[in-house]
Amino acid sequence: AAMSVAGGVSARVPVFHAASLGASRARRGTPVSSKLRVPPRRGATSVACVAMAPPQSTARTVLALDFDGVVCDSEPESSISGWKHGLELWPAVFSEQTQYDRVLAGLRELRPVVETGFENTLLARCVLQRTYPTVVVLENWGKVMPQLMEQWGLDRGEMVAGYGRVRDEWMERDLQGWLAPNEIYPGVGEAVLLCENSENTDVFIVTTKQARFASAIMSEKAGLRIPEHRLFSQTVSGVPKTEVLIELGKNAIAGSKKIFVEDKMSTLEKVCLRDGLEDWELVLVDWGYNTREERKRAEANPRITVVNVETFAKMLKDAAEGKARE
């Protein structure tokens, strides 16, 4: 049966032994401190972030992590970007600045339905114009979104590119200002860094976020540099997370432990239905963008474990120390 551990994001991960962390850094060649590198512009395509070509893993544990809602609370920044994008697309609709705070509050409440960044733009207009009640959006966004796209004459590719450009321009104009609303969840960055610096674990980021944004946030906010060939962006590649996991599993050593950590219950349910992923351990975090009803559904699913920050940190610490298979 699935395990649920009560708790929240406010709990910090225990401080790990500095000597062992330093030693593992030396093994993997990760610098103790690093200077922020501005990620490549949209035109400078990084093939490794797009192509489905995961490297052969020799680690005892393969750790695949979602980014938004697992590693990073990006909601404030993505909501602001949604407003900025909306203002650009529909200046007459978004002309009333007095509605800004109300719209951002509404976007925070609706964050559990967002899978790809540009959806924040649609939701911002939806909240601004009170197009649908909150409960309708939360329960039926999969049906509502395509209706709005058609009603407003929008193209998905153009929306993805436009939303990304809004972020790029914000970053170029004020990088620290863009980074500030993106916060690594307390304790999570430390735990992931421990695994990234251990030869016992290979960390992969499997996300709908465009890779350059995730890379910049991890580097600046957590001192965490995941190599480009271990960053998979579904938005860029179009490859579903289930297929990324299939490829990661094919490239893992026999007998390795494979763990997929998400905050979206719908994604984990798709993994449960996909043949060939039966040996992946599935984890739903209780601090991400999910609802109480989704966590209850996860607890009833024997494939899925619901964890809080302390349990997540212990799981990663054990994996980093080579104890994950015990």
Side-chain angles (χ1 to χ4, degrees), residues 13-276:
V13 173
V15 177
F16 301 121
H17 196 276
S20 62
L21 180 55
S24 61
R25 276 191 178 133
R27 287 198 304 272
R28 295 289 282 258
T30 303
V32 173
S33 61
S34 54
K35 192 174 182 180
L36 174 63
R37 178 176 62 88
V38 179
R41 295 257 344 228
R42 284 180 297 113
T45 305
S46 173
V47 176
C49 294
V50 179
M52 268 298 303
Q56 187 71 36
S57 173
T58 59
R60 299 178 69 184
T61 298
V62 173
L63 186 65
L65 303 175
D66 179 37
F67 185 73
D68 295 308
V70 173
V71 178
C72 175
D73 181 7
S74 60
E75 181 278 321
E77 178 274 319
S78 60
S79 294
I80 295 170
S81 293
W83 173 276
K84 289 175 179 288
H85 191 205
L87 180 62
E88 180 181 278
L89 289 173
W90 308 292
V93 175
F94 281 76
S95 61
E96 188 52 72
Q97 186 67 26
T98 59
Q99 299 301 306
Y100 177 77
D101 289 341
R102 179 179 68 82
V103 170
L104 292 193
L107 289 174
R108 179 72 181 179
E109 190 173 1
L110 294 174
R111 184 58 181 82
V113 305
V114 174
E115 292 192 1
T116 304
F118 80 90
E119 294 173 35
N120 287 286
T121 307
L122 303 180
L123 288 167
R125 180 171 177 177
C126 193
V127 172
L128 179 61
Q129 296 186 310
R130 297 182 170 89
T131 310
Y132 293 99
T134 297
V135 66
V136 172
V137 176
L138 286 172
E139 294 178 358
N140 300 281
W141 182 237
K143 296 179 180 178
V144 168
M145 185 178 72
Q147 293 173 2
L148 293 178
M149 292 282 287
E150 182 177 359
Q151 179 183 334
W152 294 335
L154 303 173
D155 173 78
R156 187 185 188 281
E158 292 177 358
M159 290 296 289
V160 169
Y163 187 79
R165 179 177 43 73
V166 166
R167 279 175 156 167
D168 281 329
E169 292 174 354
W170 186 3
M171 292 172 74
E172 288 178 2
R173 184 176 63 255
D174 180 15
L175 181 58
Q176 294 303 322
W178 177 82
L179 285 164
N182 291 285
E183 291 293 343
I184 301 296
Y185 288 106
V188 173
E190 297 94 321
V192 177
L193 184 60
L194 191 66
C195 283
E196 174 58 19
N197 288 311
S198 169
E199 293 179 341
N200 291 312
T201 49
D202 276 341
V203 179
F204 295 85
I205 300 296
V206 184
T207 179
T208 56
K209 199 181 200 74
Q210 295 183 56
R212 65 187 183 277
F213 301 129
S215 181
I217 294 166
M218 288 188 291
S219 174
E220 172 70 1
K221 293 300 186 80
L224 182 61
R225 291 184 179 275
I226 305 295
E228 289 184 344
H229 61 266
R230 288 197 266 115
L231 277 170
F232 293 91
S233 170
Q234 181 182 351
T235 300
V236 175
S237 70
V239 178
K241 291 186 179 183
T242 50
E243 304 314 301
V244 174
L245 296 181
I246 288 286
E247 293 302 314
L248 293 181
K250 288 179 181 178
N251 286 279
I253 60 173
S256 63
K257 190 182 187 73
K258 295 179 283 292
I259 305 172
F260 179 44
V261 184
E262 256 285 355
D263 74 305
K264 289 193 73 66
M265 182 58 184
S266 59
T267 301
L268 292 179
E269 288 174 327
K270 291 175 184 176
V271 174
C272 289
L273 295 174
R274 176 63 164 92
D275 291 339

Side-chain angles (χ1 to χ4, degrees), residues 277-295:
L277 295 177
E278 295 82 4
D279 58 345
W280 280 84
E281 295 185 15
L282 307 181
V283 176
L284 181 76
V285 300
D286 74 353
W287 62 83
Y289 308 128
N290 49 56
T291 64
R292 181 180 302 175
E293 290 71 22
E294 288 172 326
R295 290 191 291 275

